[in-house]
Amino acid sequence: MNKVFLLIGGNIGDRLQNLNQAITLLAATCGPVLQQSAVYETAAWGKTDQAAFLNQALLLTTSLGAQELIATILSVEEQMGRHRMEKFGPRVIDIDILFYNDIVMAEPNLTIPHPQLQNRRFALVPMQEIAPQLVHPVFNKTIEQLLDECPDKLEVRRM
């Protein structure tokens, strides 16, 4: 089984219900969710003139390959009503693969580990809660170290 860390988030509709629905759908289509962080609220990153996001990190195991997993995740997002209209725009749900085992890959539709993880407190804070000693395979630093060095200063508030 493959060990995968995901970040889920959204800022449209019933944000908490959307996270819970995403977890249910991911467990049904990808594999069991073994751990989940608390839910965190953060001001929008990238495009700041929108509602705050709720985010949560998940650890799941899956028999799906990385490409099968991203296709399944995109299907879950679509099923939940996600429409990709604007980069960094508002969304019902966003599901990002942060880590897939310890692989490093860069393909047109998928880069693992997530290429912006080290720059985003809203991803690092929930990851630090469930996997503080996980080592980033590119930077060879733990999540804890990446969080300490993160240039992003947005407040990430535990709900």
Side-chain angles (χ1 to χ4, degrees):
M1 292 298 270
N2 299 297
K3 188 175 171 180
V4 179
F5 287 92
L6 303 176
L7 184 74
I8 62 174
N11 70 338
I12 295 176
D14 185 334
R15 300 173 302 165
L16 189 56
Q17 174 56 38
N18 292 342
L19 295 182
N20 290 331
Q21 182 182 358
I23 291 168
T24 299
L25 291 170
L26 289 166
T29 58
C30 300
V33 175
L34 304 179
Q35 280 185 279
Q36 54 192 71
S37 73
V39 174
Y40 293 86
E41 185 173 49
T42 309
W45 187 97
K47 184 177 183 315
T48 59
D49 63 339
Q50 59 183 310
F53 279 78
L54 291 187
N55 290 292
Q56 188 173 27
L58 308 175
L59 167 62
L60 62 84
T61 56
T62 186
S63 60
L64 301 176
Q67 288 293 343
E68 291 173 290
L69 179 62
I70 192 63
T72 304
I73 285 171
L74 292 172
S75 175
V76 166
E77 288 181 342
E78 188 177 301
Q79 183 179 342
M80 288 186 62
R82 168 97 190 253
H83 305 289
R84 295 175 185 274
M85 313 263 291
E86 174 183 14
K87 188 170 177 104
F88 301 127
R91 58 208 92 149
V92 170
I93 194 69
D94 185 38
I95 305 170
D96 290 330
I97 300 173
L98 301 179
F99 297 98
Y100 182 98
N101 296 325
D102 59 358
I103 69 167
V104 176
M105 68 182 282
E107 296 186 8
N109 68 330
L110 181 61
T111 302
I112 300 174
H114 191 285
Q116 291 299 316
L117 173 64
Q118 70 280 359
N119 298 318
R120 296 177 173 176
R121 286 181 55 79
F122 68 83
L124 289 168
V125 170
M127 272 298 296
Q128 193 249 355
E129 181 185 329
I130 64 173
Q133 297 306 310
L134 180 71
V135 176
H136 192 293
V138 173
F139 299 116
N140 201 30
K141 294 181 179 182
T142 65
I143 296 298
E144 216 164 46
Q145 290 171 312
L146 290 174
L147 181 57
D148 286 342
E149 298 170 4
C150 183
D152 176 12
K153 299 305 175 201
L154 282 178
E155 180 185 6
V156 179
R157 187 174 59 87
R158 187 179 177 136
M159 296 294 291

